[in-house]
């Protein structure tokens, strides 16, 4: 228990608790600062560093860039390998495990030790790994690194401990699975082929043992040569040659014939009685042309030949289509008797595998399904029905159906929200699936005791929103919402959205959701906001649209040369009260074809529309084009259901909307929000910098992330993993596009106006008196980009240094006023019950505003409390109250009461506005935590405000605005995500930095609890999608198709083993069928084959040490847990363990010394007794 007792004794040091909290008030972690207040803060903090530990929990989604597939027919579990070295193991729903090779090498092939609870992986770095699956977090037991040869193919016979490994040189090696040591038995390529052959046969592309005789190994070489090798006799039984390259081989279960697929799209059938040529050659998709020649076909990459008792054999293959059929999708062909069924796939086929009833290759196979691994999907086809339907996939494999552009994570949701979302979403599910159960049903999983309702929301490039049930470490889609249905369909090349984002005009930038009131708000890339309400009933509605002009205006200049050197400045009196004069812009100033003014990017449907149950659009807010300039993208958003207000901001200013009355309450530039309380002296900038150097200082804070290339979310997967931030491309974009120079644009004040709140349903903000001063040759503004949702470019070091220096200067310094930029983005917003001014006696509704220059504004509001008055009387917004300051862009606000508990924002209890009227129970607004109904005992005495920026965290005491604690989070990097979260019945500040560190900081004392270097920020996708939630959990998009969930709670790490599913369940291996006397007598001596005698060291000898290197895995369960966690250990915990070990060693040393002393004493007494009794006779005793 850590008890913080804060006695503020009015020290003579400079107080940060005035109007502005100076960044110099403290620099050490959790440094308390002096403030003149009689209050005594007595808060007991219960969190300690032992409450925190970081580890990965579970990964959801489709494995990115899959490469290999394997299935255990007894355990019924599936494994998928990927190009990044990952392995996903899937069983029944809930059984989902992710493993990662430390090398990161691509997985070439997977081989289950059937019903043994183990898996062999062959990687592109020519290493074999043996994974133990008999634990919830699999770990590597052995590794074998080949030094001189490249691995091309592996084969492990059922119930064998000897693995056949084919190489690029054409040799075949044999590995003991138990010891992972190479056998001395080697099948060299020059012995396998005929001596008369003058060319190398190529790499080994196939290995399989004969179903008829396990002592016969079939080796397929890429050149078209097939050899059956007698393992006992160490010689080739026969050799077959075909003119086309071989891709795969499939045996008939009787072992008398097999089928090959070739590069010319042909299938050849070979009989062991006649090995000179195939007895059947077919081109399944090759038709005979008019001239009698066959069409040229694509290669058949894989073929499987499976027999069935009651029907003809199944021949399943991928590829083989004719080349002249351009544009045809990838296909899987199923030949069953004379029927040929071609299944077209949405994506290229990576691998497929038929699922059979028996694991024995010498029995009738009876295939019942075929698993098809595509580049971006996993499907399972039911072979037991003639129309071959697919099974409904229980795994969330369609997260990437459209590229994910933003995420949100909500833990401890109201328990009724998940069932109702599921019931609505279930009505829109696809039909036509197979009625049989999902065949991949291995493993066991039970709902643990440490579960609570969790929801993940993903926003996508096509404008769709998906709600996922994330309870109990599983993921299941609940409900899908398409925001594009609110707008008219865009014709090709039509609308301003095409000029703004080129592609995906409906892409989601950020979301805001209130689970209690079920109000949902979406921000799109076309500078639009959609507000949704939830209803269980369908309705006919007309969507209300509000249009907002929130755009920067250009300053007057003295000369064009000064204009070139002064991209961002403002006049001293531009934000002071003065009469504004309207000056219409001259036509043609913005675009060559004329100025486009007051036009939204996309058009909202202006007719009555029928909306189904679920989330129904109620209001759309759109930013307008102004004087040929596109609207800047929205960077921050907050909505409060109790107040009925919505606030949003961008790099130009702030707007507040009353969504109950459908009016705009406030539309003002950031500069005008300050009034007389502007913390900066914004003077005209001296023309001493060129355009390039000045642009590096514009949009400080989070705007350093803003990419200088065109901002758009593309549907291609490349856009999610690549950035174009090199300077050459930036300069090219600037030279090409008249709207691509936003950072170098000239901005002081957008349209500054206050709208009448009492005027209902205002379609757009009236222009009113506004100041328009456009100088000659002014470049228009390029759209801004929210660092919270879009790609981010890392700031350069000298920019960081300049930012740091600018914050450390004196506030009244004229040098500081020169370097200050007026381009100040709104980076975060939050409605709260707070104190707008120092002398406020009780909390009132306030809007907390954070900017990219590290300034915090508190705007008080007056909201009518009565329901009827609320719908008729205007909401009044007062001038800015408190002004606070931090280093770096403001990221997050949090509020604690004087006992240290988290204060929840007020909200309205959900009510269905479309429900039938009930005269006995009229629908009234029920508000929770709203100031008139809340207890004044807890809030009336004040509260603590936690403010976190990209560099710093501060705790302020409200209403005195005293800075109690300050902590510099990072000096060398910057914070990307921060949130005030509840962990272990307490609260803390969780931060994710650009250098990959995840940190937790206690509240309110701001003591560092945990600091772990989790992962380097190598991909901007992580920065865009990382988010924290309560309960010590977080998530991010680890690849374009996968969501990785992590926990930083020690309690959840301890309970993780219980929450995960078991991959291995003890199942008795099915017995082999009785072959009968005649079959056993004439079918060969397969049962007498002893691989141990043949491949063991006694007979085969040892392999060359230089050929392969054995690498032992981590032994023991504890070591495996550490390996599976994949996280750097907590330094503090290691130090404590080291101290405990030293203490135990000291105790052991003391005990050893005591034993030595005791032994010496015993020896001394024994010697004395011996001397005493030495001369005595026996009868004297």
């Amino acid at each position: 228990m850590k008890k913080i007792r804060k006695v503020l004794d009015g020290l003579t040091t400079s107080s940060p608790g005035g109007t502005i909290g100076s960044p110099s008030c403290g620099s050490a972690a959790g440094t308390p600062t002096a403030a003149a207040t009689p209050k005594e803060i007595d808060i007991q903090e219960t969190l300690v560093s032992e409450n925190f530990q970081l580890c990965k929990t579970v990964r959801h989604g489709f494995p990115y860039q899959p490469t290999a597939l394997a299935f255990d027919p007894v355990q019924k579990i599936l494994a998928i390998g990927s190009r990044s070295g990952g392995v996903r193991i899937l069983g029944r729903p809930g059984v989902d495990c992710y493993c990662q090779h430390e090398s990161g090498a691509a997985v070439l092939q997977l081989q289950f030790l059937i019903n043994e609870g183990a898996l062999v992986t062959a990687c592109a770095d020519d290493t074999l790994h043996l994974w133990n699956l008999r634990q919830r977090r699999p770990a590597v037991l052995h590794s074998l690194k080949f030094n001189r040869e490249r691995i091309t193919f592996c084969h492990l016979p059922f119930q064998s401990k000897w693995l056949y490994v084919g190489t690029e040189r054409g040799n075949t090696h044999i590995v003991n699975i138990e010891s992972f040591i190479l056998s001395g038995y080697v099948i060299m390529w020059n012995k396998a082929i005929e001596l008369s052959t003058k060319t190398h046969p190529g790499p080994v592309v196939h290995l399989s043992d004969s179903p008829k005789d396990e002592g016969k190994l079939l080796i397929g070489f890429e050149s078209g040569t097939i050899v059956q090798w007698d393992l006992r006799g160490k010689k080739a039984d026969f050799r077959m040659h075909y003119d086309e390259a071989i891709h795969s081989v499939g045996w008939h279960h009787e072992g008398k014939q097999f089928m090959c697929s070739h590069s010319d799209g042909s299938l050849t059938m070979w009989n062991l009685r006649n090995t000179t040529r195939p007895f059947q050659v077919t081109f399944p998709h090759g038709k005979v042309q008019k001239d009698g020649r066959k069409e040229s076909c694509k290669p058949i990459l894989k073929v499987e030949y499976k027999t069935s008792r009651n029907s003809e054999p199944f021949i399943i293959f991928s590829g083989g289509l004719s080349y002249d059929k351009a544009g045809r999708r990838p296909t899987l062909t199923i030949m069953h008797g004379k029927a040929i069924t071609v299944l077209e796939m949405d994506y290229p086929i990576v691998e497929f595998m038929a699922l059979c009833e028996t694991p024995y290759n010498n029995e009738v196979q009876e295939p019942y399904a075929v698993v098809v691994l595509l580049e971006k999907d996993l499907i399972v086809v039911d072979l037991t029905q003639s129309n071959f339907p697919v099974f409904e996939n229980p795994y969330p494999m369609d997260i990437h159906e459209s590229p994910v552009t933003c995420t949100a994570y909500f833990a401890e949701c109201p328990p009724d929200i998940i069932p109702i979302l599921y019931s609505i979403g279930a009505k829109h599910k696809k039909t036509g699936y197979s009625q049989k159960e999902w065949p991949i049903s291995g493993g066991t999983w039970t709902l643990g005791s440490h579960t609570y309702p969790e929801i993940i929301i993903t926003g996508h490039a096509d404008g769709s929103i998906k709600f996922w049930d994330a309870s109990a470490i599983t993921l299941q889609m609940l409900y899908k919402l398409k925001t594009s249905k609110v707008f008219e369909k865009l014709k090709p090349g039509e609308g301003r959205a095409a000029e703004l984002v080129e592609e995906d005009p409906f892409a989601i930038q950020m979301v805001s959701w209130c689970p209690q009131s079920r109000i949902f708000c979406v921000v799109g890339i076309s500078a639009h906001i959609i507000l949704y309400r939830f209803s269980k009933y369908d309705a006919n509605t007309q969507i209300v649209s509000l249009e907002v002009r929130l755009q920067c205006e250009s300053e007057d200049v003295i000369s064009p040369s000064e204009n070139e050197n002064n991209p961002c400045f403002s006049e001293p009196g531009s934000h002071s009260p003065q009469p504004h004069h309207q000056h219409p812009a001259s036509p043609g100033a913005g675009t060559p074809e004329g100025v486009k003014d007051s036009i939204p990017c996309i058009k909202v449907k202006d007719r009555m529309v029928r909306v189904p149950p679920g989330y129904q659009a109620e209001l759309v807010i759109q930013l307008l084009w102004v004087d040929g300039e596109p609207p800047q993208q929205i960077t921050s958003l907050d909505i409060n259901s109790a107040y009925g207000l919505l606030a949003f901001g961008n790099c130009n200013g702030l707007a507040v909307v009353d969504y109950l009355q459908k009016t705009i309450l406030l539309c003002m530039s950031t500069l005008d929000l300050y009034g007389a309380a502007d913390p900066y002296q914004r003077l005209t900038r001296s023309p001493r910098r060129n355009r390039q150097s000045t642009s590096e200082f514009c949009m400080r804070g989070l705007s350093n992330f803003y990419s200088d290339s065109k901002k758009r979310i593309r549907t291609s997967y490349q856009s999610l993993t690549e950035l174009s931030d090199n300077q050459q491309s930036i300069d090219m974009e600037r030279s090409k596009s008249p709207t691509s120079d936003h950072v170098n644009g000239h901005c002081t004040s957008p349209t500054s106006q206050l709208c009448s709140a009492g005027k209902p349903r205002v379609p757009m903000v009236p222009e009113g008196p506004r100041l328009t001063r456009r100088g000659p040759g002014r470049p228009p503004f390029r759209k801004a980009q929210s660092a919270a949702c879009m790609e981010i470019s890392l700031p350069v070091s000298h920019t960081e240094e300049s930012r740091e220096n600018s914050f450390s200067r004196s506030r009244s310094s004229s040098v500081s006023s020169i370097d200050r930029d007026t381009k100040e983005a709104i980076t975060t917003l939050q409605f709260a019950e707070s104190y707008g001014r120092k002398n406020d006696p009780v909390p009132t509704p306030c809007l907390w505003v954070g900017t990219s220059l590290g300034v915090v504004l508190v705007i008080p509001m007056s909201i009518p409390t009565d329901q009827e008055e609320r719908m008729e009387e205007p909401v009044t917004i007062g001038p800015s109250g408190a002004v606070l300051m931090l280093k770096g862009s403001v990221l997050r606000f949090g509020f604690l009461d004087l006992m240290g508990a988290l204060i929840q924002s007020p909200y309205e209890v959900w009510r269905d506005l479309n429900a039938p009227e009930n005269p006995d129970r009229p629908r009234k607004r029920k508000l929770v935590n709203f100031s008139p109904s809340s207890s004044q005992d807890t809030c009336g005495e004040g509260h603590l405000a936690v403010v976190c920026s990209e560099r710093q965290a501060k705790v302020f005491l409200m209403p005195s605005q005293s800075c109690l604690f300050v902590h510099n989070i990072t000096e060398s990097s910057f914070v990307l995500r921060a949130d005030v979260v509840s962990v272990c019945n307490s609260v803390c500040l969780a931060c994710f930095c650009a250098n990959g560190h995840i940190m937790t900081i206690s509240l309110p004392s701001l003591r560092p609890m945990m600091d772990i270097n989790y992962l380097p920020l190598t991909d901007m996708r992580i920065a865009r999608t990382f988010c924290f939630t309560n309960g010590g959990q977080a998530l991010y998009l680890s690849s374009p198709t996968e969501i990785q969930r992590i926990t930083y709670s020690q309690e959840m790490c301890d309970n993780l083993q219980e929450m995960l599913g078991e991959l291995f369940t003890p199942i008795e291996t099915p017995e082999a069928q009785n072959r009968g006397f005649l079959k056993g007598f004439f079918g060969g001596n397969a049962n007498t084959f002893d691989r141990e005698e043949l491949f063991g060291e006694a007979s085969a000898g040892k392999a060359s040490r230089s050929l392969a290197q054995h690498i032992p895995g981590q032994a023991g369960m504890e070591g495996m847990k550490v390996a599976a966690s994949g996280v750097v250990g907590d330094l503090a915990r290691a130090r404590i363990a080291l101290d405990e070990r030293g203490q135990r060693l000291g105790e052991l040393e003391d005990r050893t010394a005591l034993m030595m002393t005791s032994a010496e004493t015993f020896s001394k007494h024994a010697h004395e007794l011996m001397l005493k009794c030495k001369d005595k006779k026996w009868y004297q005793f």
Side-chain angles (χ1 to χ4, degrees), residues 597-673:
D597 194 32
S598 302
I599 300 175
C601 296
I602 41 183
K603 186 180 179 183
V604 181
K605 291 180 180 178
D606 55 0
R607 60 185 183 275
M608 293 292 291
V609 291
R610 184 77 173 174
V611 288
Y615 273 105
Q616 301 167 353
E618 179 179 297
L619 175 66
V620 177
I621 305 166
Q622 292 180 285
L623 298 186
L624 301 176
W625 285 66
V626 178
D627 296 336
E629 298 165 7
Q632 309 296 330
Q633 289 177 2
I634 295 164
T635 58
S636 55
L637 169 77
D638 193 37
I639 187 169
N640 189 282
S641 57
Y643 301 161
L645 300 180
L646 180 151
F648 64 93
N650 61 10
C651 67
N652 292 334
L654 170 70
V656 181
V657 174
D658 183 345
Y659 67 80
L660 295 179
Q661 298 186 20
K662 310 295 189 297
T663 58
I664 301 168
L665 303 177
L666 179 71
C667 180
M668 187 177 286
S669 73
T670 315
L671 199 59
D672 292 330
L673 289 174

Side-chain angles (χ1 to χ4, degrees), residues 1044-1069:
Q1044 177 68 59
R1045 289 165 68 180
I1046 63 175
T1047 181
Y1048 48 94
S1049 165
Q1050 176 66 56
E1051 181 183 4
M1052 188 164 186
C1053 288
D1054 294 340
N1055 297 325
L1056 189 58
Q1057 292 293 320
E1058 177 189 340
M1059 299 168 69
L1060 294 173
E1062 288 275 5
L1063 293 173
F1064 178 79
T1065 53
I1067 300 175
E1068 192 170 338
T1069 303

Side-chain angles (χ1 to χ4, degrees), residues 308 311-315 334-341 383 388:
S308 178
S311 63
E312 295 288 326
F314 284 89
I315 299 173
I334 303 174
M335 299 173 63
H336 189 211
K338 294 183 179 180
I340 300 178
T341 304
L383 295 179
F388 302 127

Side-chain angles (χ1 to χ4, degrees), residues 381-677:
V381 180
D382 186 356
L383 295 179
T384 61
Q385 300 182 42
S386 58
N387 59 340
F388 302 127
V390 298
F391 290 89
E392 185 177 5
N393 198 327
Y395 315 125
M397 293 292 185
D398 57 346
I399 293 175
H400 61 287
E401 186 178 16
S402 174
V404 177
T405 55
C406 74
T407 58
Y409 194 4
F410 299 88
E412 301 171 357
C413 298
D416 60 336
I417 190 71
I418 290 179
I420 196 167
L421 282 175
Y422 181 79
S423 64
I424 297 294
K427 299 176 182 177
H428 305 284
K429 281 194 172 183
K430 296 179 182 179
T431 57
Y433 292 111
S434 172
Q435 299 300 314
K436 294 194 174 184
E437 292 186 2
W438 180 251
I440 305 168
S441 56
T444 56
W445 179 77
T446 56
L447 192 65
S449 57
H450 304 275
T451 60
Y452 41 84
E454 298 176 70
I455 286 180
I456 293 173
I457 300 176
T458 56
H460 300 264
D462 63 352
S464 61
I465 303 282
K466 292 181 181 179
F467 290 77
W468 305 85
D469 177 11
S471 307
I473 72 168
T474 60
L475 196 71
Q476 182 181 9
M477 196 173 84
L478 297 172
Y479 175 70
K480 183 178 180 180
L481 174 67
K482 294 182 179 179
T483 62
S484 58
K485 291 186 175 181
V486 173
F487 303 99
E488 299 285 359
K489 289 185 178 180
L490 285 174
K491 296 179 181 178
E494 183 187 53
R496 306 300 295 181
E499 299 179 31
L500 181 65
V501 292
E502 293 187 3
E503 293 183 9
D504 304 316
F506 310 114
I508 307 301
Q509 246 184 311
M510 65 182 79
V511 297
S512 179
W513 186 45
C514 177
Q516 289 80 12
S517 64
R518 302 182 189 175
I519 287 182
F520 185 57
C521 208
V522 175
V523 174
I525 198 173
S526 298
H528 64 270
I529 300 172
I530 311 174
L531 186 141
Y532 290 89
R533 284 185 184 270
F534 186 84
S535 176
K536 294 188 289 186
Y537 304 91
D538 56 1
N540 291 318
T541 182
Q542 183 163 4
I543 302 167
V544 179
S545 176
L546 293 179
E547 297 176 344
V548 180
R549 296 171 64 93
L550 191 60
Q551 192 78 343
C552 283
E553 298 293 340
S554 298
E555 283 286 339
D556 279 331
V557 291
I558 298 173
S559 66
S561 61
E562 185 176 346
N563 170 35
E564 288 298 313
N565 294 319
N566 290 278
C568 292
F569 68 91
S570 68
E571 296 175 0
S574 64
H575 55 81
S576 58
Q578 58 178 337
H580 289 196
H581 304 284
Q582 186 172 6
H583 178 71
S586 59
T591 55
E593 71 273 9
V595 174
K596 301 295 183 182
D597 194 32
S598 302
I599 300 175
C601 296
I602 41 183
K603 186 180 179 183
V604 181
K605 291 180 180 178
D606 55 0
R607 60 185 183 275
M608 293 292 291
V609 291
R610 184 77 173 174
V611 288
Y615 273 105
Q616 301 167 353
E618 179 179 297
L619 175 66
V620 177
I621 305 166
Q622 292 180 285
L623 298 186
L624 301 176
W625 285 66
V626 178
D627 296 336
E629 298 165 7
Q632 309 296 330
Q633 289 177 2
I634 295 164
T635 58
S636 55
L637 169 77
D638 193 37
I639 187 169
N640 189 282
S641 57
Y643 301 161
L645 300 180
L646 180 151
F648 64 93
N650 61 10
C651 67
N652 292 334
L654 170 70
V656 181
V657 174
D658 183 345
Y659 67 80
L660 295 179
Q661 298 186 20
K662 310 295 189 297
T663 58
I664 301 168
L665 303 177
L666 179 71
C667 180
M668 187 177 286
S669 73
T670 315
L671 199 59
D672 292 330
L673 289 174
Y674 292 109

Side-chain angles (χ1 to χ4, degrees), residues 341-368:
T341 304
V342 179
L343 305 178
E344 288 191 338
M345 303 295 168
D346 293 331
Y347 307 104
I349 297 173
V350 176
E351 174 73 284
F352 74 89
M353 182 172 292
L355 308 186
C356 302
E357 295 287 352
T358 176
Y360 298 95
N361 64 346
N362 58 358
E363 295 180 357
V364 179
Q365 299 298 289
E366 291 291 350
Y368 57 90

